[in-house]
Amino acid sequence: SIIIFSAILSVFFLKRRLQPFHWVATAIVFVGLVIVGLASMLDSSGSSDVSPTQRLVGIGLVVGAQLCSAFQMVFEEKLLTG
């Protein structure tokens, strides 16, 4: 998900124009993340003591961490390039 967030943040903060193939690749990554997230939510073979709410919180925390990391990378690039 860091790829998705980096692409979006670089467009807004760095005023970078991404090519159509960049957006297609970002969409492919998004679809992959949705599939993995759904598989995690629907998987019943894992540990039974984890509720779906706890899984959602875990996924949310990971996505939040990726957003922070993407922001840090884009912000560093903005600072270094002026």
Side-chain angles (χ1 to χ4, degrees), residues 14-64:
L14 301 176
K15 307 296 187 229
R16 183 173 290 160
R17 180 163 166 75
L18 297 180
Q19 300 297 321
F21 66 88
H22 291 130
W23 290 115
V24 169
T26 303
I28 291 170
V29 170
F30 179 76
V31 169
L33 285 171
V34 168
I35 291 171
V36 169
L38 285 176
S40 171
M41 290 298 297
L42 300 175
D43 182 27
S44 61
S45 66
S47 62
S48 61
D49 60 340
V50 178
S51 70
T53 304
Q54 290 174 326
R55 288 184 186 188
L56 275 177
V57 169
I59 291 170
L61 288 172
V62 169
V63 170

Side-chain angles (χ1 to χ4, degrees), residues 1-11 13-14 16 18 22-23 25-34 59-77:
S1 64
I2 194 167
I3 295 169
I4 298 168
F5 294 133
S6 296
I8 294 169
L9 291 173
S10 66
V11 168
F13 289 117
L14 301 176
R16 183 173 290 160
L18 297 180
H22 291 130
W23 290 115
T26 303
I28 291 170
V29 170
F30 179 76
V31 169
L33 285 171
V34 168
I59 291 170
L61 288 172
V62 169
V63 170
Q66 294 297 311
L67 179 62
C68 290
S69 181
F71 179 78
Q72 180 254 335
M73 289 188 333
V74 171
F75 189 69
E76 272 184 14
E77 185 174 343

